[in-house]
Amino acid sequence: KKARFVITKGGKPTAVLLGIDDYDDIVEELDPAFRKSLKLASRQYEAGEAVTLRDYLKGRLVRSRAR
């Protein structure tokens, strides 16, 4: 179920609170740079160039200990 809430100040709309799925949809539709980065990430993932979060964090930990 999608929910959107309009937040008002003095009776005038000042902000909108919406679910993360709605927000993601809006960002994907309106931000060409974000869409481009998603396409690049998808190609990298399909090419086997992705790194798991666990491996990424492990690498950062190793690098920080080496300093």
Side-chain angles (χ1 to χ4, degrees):
K1 182 179 176 182
K2 294 188 176 194
R4 296 181 185 119
F5 301 92
V6 176
I7 300 168
T8 62
K9 183 175 183 179
K12 296 182 181 181
T14 56
V16 176
L17 177 66
L18 48 97
I20 191 65
D21 291 335
D22 286 338
Y23 175 76
D24 285 343
D25 291 345
I26 291 170
V27 169
E28 287 177 20
E29 289 178 22
L30 299 179
D31 187 348
F34 184 74
R35 284 197 321 251
K36 185 177 178 181
S37 72
L38 284 179
K39 287 179 185 177
L40 174 61
S42 179
R43 286 194 301 269
Q44 289 173 331
Y45 177 79
E46 290 170 359
E49 299 170 0
V51 177
T52 65
L53 177 59
R54 180 181 304 252
D55 290 342
Y56 171 77
L57 293 175
K58 190 165 92 175
R60 283 190 54 131
L61 181 62
V62 167
R63 285 190 302 273
S64 70
R65 287 183 178 168
R67 291 182 188 172

